[in-house]
Amino acid sequence: MKILVGVKHVPDTAARVRIAEDGVSLDEREIKMILSPYDEFALEEALRQREARGEGEVLVVSAGAETAQATLRQCLAMGADRALLIQDARYDRADGLARARALAAVARREQPALILVGKYGVGTDEGQTGPMLAELLGWPHAAAVVRLQVHGERFEAHREIEGAVEVLEGPLPAVITTEKGLNEPRYPSLQGIMAAKRKPLDVVSPQALGLDAEELGPGQRVVWERLELPSPRPACRTLEGDPDTVVAELVRLLREEAKVL
């Protein structure tokens, strides 16, 4: 079974980001870029599905700037068989539909039985690429899955909803978006890192896949106008004194300054 995994090259969630001089992008010189954490669950699940069958192929695909090759190499080191980069830096600020169309173009060429992607890529957090991809392909879709089983030509996906677990069933091929709790992603081994250097990582342009370049230029639907860092938090205030005094002062502050009482 061939499994396609869509991945995204994103800033480390623990990094302190800085805005680049253009005002609409991040200064990558100051931050570490990583594989989006939710995509790690997708990749790990693809590897487990392949290992459970003892055969198959895991293809990882990303769309973005040349620097995304580092993330694809990490995926190869974790155990993926092949990698493909649709190289165009404008994908880093493209909307979910443009990214879905890029993955759909690869899916039509590769004909996978299953597509796995994280429920969203950290940073933009829109959660639209997976559902849009399924709609473009006309495939069944299950979102934010915490348990996945594949039996022959059908899948069973579990997702958590308020107070219960929802079970979805459907035929393959299908698109599944993954949630935290689905599995525990592995770390690349030394052997895997060395093997990754010999695995194929192909680079293609959007035009080579028949994609419309206008979607990434003036014709795109979503435009990033400005990035701003959150406002700094106000300094905290320490109340001193005996408990009765502190409680009285706290109540006064909540009533007169915070105005929540």
Side-chain angles (χ1 to χ4, degrees), residues 22 30 37 45 55 78 141 145 149 159 183 186 213 230:
D22 62 10
E30 302 293 332
E45 188 62 28
E55 56 83 27
M78 291 174 67
H141 164 248
V145 169
Q149 293 180 308
R159 46 177 285 158
N183 52 51
R186 69 194 67 186

Side-chain angles (χ1 to χ4, degrees), residues 217-228:
Q220 63 182 329
R221 289 158 298 277
V222 177
V223 178
W224 291 27
E225 295 184 347
R226 185 175 66 254
L227 285 181
E228 295 180 355

Side-chain angles (χ1 to χ4, degrees), residues 31-117:
I31 57 177
K32 178 183 178 182
M33 302 294 287
I34 62 170
L35 169 64
S36 182
Y38 289 104
D39 294 341
E40 287 190 79
F41 302 124
L43 176 56
E44 176 64 27
E45 188 62 28
L47 297 175
R48 294 188 183 195
Q49 292 290 336
R50 184 195 64 190
E51 291 165 356
R53 286 163 178 73
E55 56 83 27
E57 181 183 41
V58 175
L59 168 64
V60 288
V61 181
S62 188
E66 181 181 4
T67 52
Q69 291 189 34
T71 283
L72 291 174
R73 285 293 178 195
Q74 178 187 348
C75 294
L76 293 173
M78 291 174 67
D81 299 292
R82 288 194 291 136
L84 174 67
L85 173 62
I86 308 168
Q87 187 169 306
D88 192 312
R90 292 175 295 179
Y91 275 115
D92 292 341
R93 294 199 294 272
D95 59 31
L97 183 56
R99 302 184 70 85
R101 283 180 170 157
L103 291 174
V106 177
R108 294 187 184 102
R109 186 176 75 174
E110 294 286 342
Q111 294 296 304
L114 181 64
I115 297 179
L116 296 168
V117 296

Side-chain angles (χ1 to χ4, degrees), residues 8 120-128:
K8 193 174 182 184
Y120 57 69
V122 300
T124 51
D125 295 9
E126 83 261 302
Q128 297 175 341

Side-chain angles (χ1 to χ4, degrees), residues 105-164:
V106 177
R108 294 187 184 102
R109 186 176 75 174
E110 294 286 342
Q111 294 296 304
L114 181 64
I115 297 179
L116 296 168
V117 296
K119 71 173 185 178
Y120 57 69
V122 300
T124 51
D125 295 9
E126 83 261 302
Q128 297 175 341
T129 301
M132 287 178 171
L133 173 58
E135 183 67 21
L136 290 171
L137 295 173
W139 292 5
H141 164 248
V145 169
V146 296
R147 181 184 175 194
L148 176 66
Q149 293 180 308
V150 178
H151 307 286
E153 299 300 316
R154 298 188 64 80
F155 73 89
E156 179 183 297
H158 294 214
R159 46 177 285 158
E160 295 177 348
I161 59 176
E162 186 173 357

Side-chain angles (χ1 to χ4, degrees), residues 135-202:
E135 183 67 21
L136 290 171
L137 295 173
W139 292 5
H141 164 248
V145 169
V146 296
R147 181 184 175 194
L148 176 66
Q149 293 180 308
V150 178
H151 307 286
E153 299 300 316
R154 298 188 64 80
F155 73 89
E156 179 183 297
H158 294 214
R159 46 177 285 158
E160 295 177 348
I161 59 176
E162 186 173 357
V165 174
E166 184 178 55
V167 180
L168 304 175
E169 296 181 356
L172 298 179
V175 177
I176 306 293
T177 68
T178 56
E179 171 67 284
K180 182 178 181 181
L182 175 62
N183 52 51
E184 186 66 32
R186 69 194 67 186
Y187 291 101
S189 65
L190 178 59
Q191 181 180 0
I193 293 171
M194 298 302 294
K197 298 178 180 179
R198 300 187 298 273
K199 293 180 179 179
L201 194 166
D202 297 324

